[in-house]
Amino acid sequence: MKKVLIPVTNHATLGSTEQANGTYAPELTHVVHELNSNGIAFDIVSIQGGKAPLYGTDIEGDEVNMQVLSDTSFQTQINNTLVAAQVSVDDYDAIFYPGGFGLLTDLANNEEVAAMAAKHYEADGIIAAVCHGPAALLPITLSNGEPLLASKRVTAFTREEEIDFGTINDIPFLLEESLTRKAAQYSKVQPWGEFVVEDGRVITGQNPTSAHAVGKALVKLLS
């Protein structure tokens, strides 16, 4: 059975503000829904382990989000995330980073999880991320000393979307700018449109709207 490692943030606020944050639920649940629908297993991990903060759990009209969040086995996993350093990345066929602003504070600069991801990628593993999730790709350095992003085309949450969402002044850094400086190419479509970039074994999606398509692309690559 194929298996996906899902690292999530432990950081429960937006940057250094008091605004409740963490992982944006729909970006996790829509991909989990695709994994479940295709018989693909997954483990949820975080740097510290334990209960992972989620927001966006009360979005009206998002049936997939509500369905996954109400699943008892999913609740057990999100409330008891494994410590990333204690799992063997060799046991997984892909790594998926859901978004949410929280990871801009931890996974975006965590060398330990980045080293796991580099090892995974160099062993023919797949890396997928959506919205702010691609921030976790920033610290990934391959064994030749090159950043993973140096040769990759990616997308992620845009400056315009930060402005629309009212977060441009509170984020620890602007993800679009960081990716534009580090990746081979950063591209985007109009705010809130579905957009996925696939470059070899790296899949990235622009925003929450793109989460479902990232899940489908990940499943397709895994099969």
Side-chain angles (χ1 to χ4, degrees):
M1 183 190 251
K2 298 284 187 179
K3 198 171 192 183
V4 178
L5 183 68
I6 305 179
V8 296
T9 183
N10 294 119
H11 190 78
T13 64
L14 168 55
S16 56
T17 71
E18 297 295 307
Q19 298 173 53
N21 209 267
T23 296
Y24 190 56
E27 293 166 13
L28 173 57
T29 57
H30 277 260
V31 172
V32 163
H33 177 77
E34 283 299 311
L35 298 179
N36 286 339
S37 300
N38 289 277
I40 298 168
F42 63 91
D43 285 332
I44 304 177
V45 301
S46 61
I47 297 165
Q48 299 165 15
K51 185 173 181 176
L54 287 180
Y55 68 110
T57 55
D58 52 357
I59 296 166
E60 289 181 14
D62 190 333
E63 297 296 328
V64 168
N65 194 43
M66 288 160 58
Q67 181 193 329
V68 174
L69 288 171
S70 64
D71 180 69
T72 50
S73 66
F74 174 81
Q75 281 295 333
T76 299
Q77 285 188 272
I78 200 70
N79 290 325
N80 303 276
T81 65
L82 306 172
V83 176
Q86 292 175 3
V87 304
S88 171
V89 76
D90 301 337
D91 297 340
Y92 301 92
D93 302 285
I95 297 175
F96 165 64
Y97 297 97
F101 295 94
L103 66 74
L104 295 178
T105 302
D106 60 6
L107 287 167
N109 51 43
N110 185 269
E111 299 294 339
E112 202 167 34
V113 176
M116 290 172 65
K119 182 186 179 193
H120 169 76
Y121 183 77
E122 292 191 318
D124 291 331
I126 299 162
I127 294 180
V130 68
C131 198
H132 287 90
L137 277 51
L138 289 165
I140 299 175
T141 304
L142 303 177
S143 57
N144 62 2
E146 285 280 306
L148 170 70
L149 287 167
S151 62
K152 294 296 169 190
R153 294 177 290 109
V154 294
T155 187
F157 206 60
T158 68
R159 183 176 187 277
E160 293 82 3
E161 287 163 335
E162 297 283 8
I163 291 168
D164 288 355
F165 212 59
T167 45
I168 190 77
N169 295 321
D170 293 325
I171 44 174
F173 64 92
L174 181 59
L175 180 55
E176 176 179 334
E177 182 186 7
S178 295
L179 290 171
T180 300
R181 291 181 183 278
K182 198 159 194 174
Q185 183 183 34
Y186 170 88
S187 50
K188 61 184 178 182
V189 295
Q190 286 188 327
W192 312 109
E194 181 184 293
F195 184 53
V196 175
V197 173
E198 294 183 61
D199 189 349
R201 290 176 286 109
V202 175
I203 303 165
T204 50
Q206 179 172 312
N207 48 33
T209 315
S210 309
H212 215 92
V214 167
K216 287 189 177 300
L218 176 57
V219 166
K220 188 177 176 186
L221 211 51
L222 281 167
S223 58

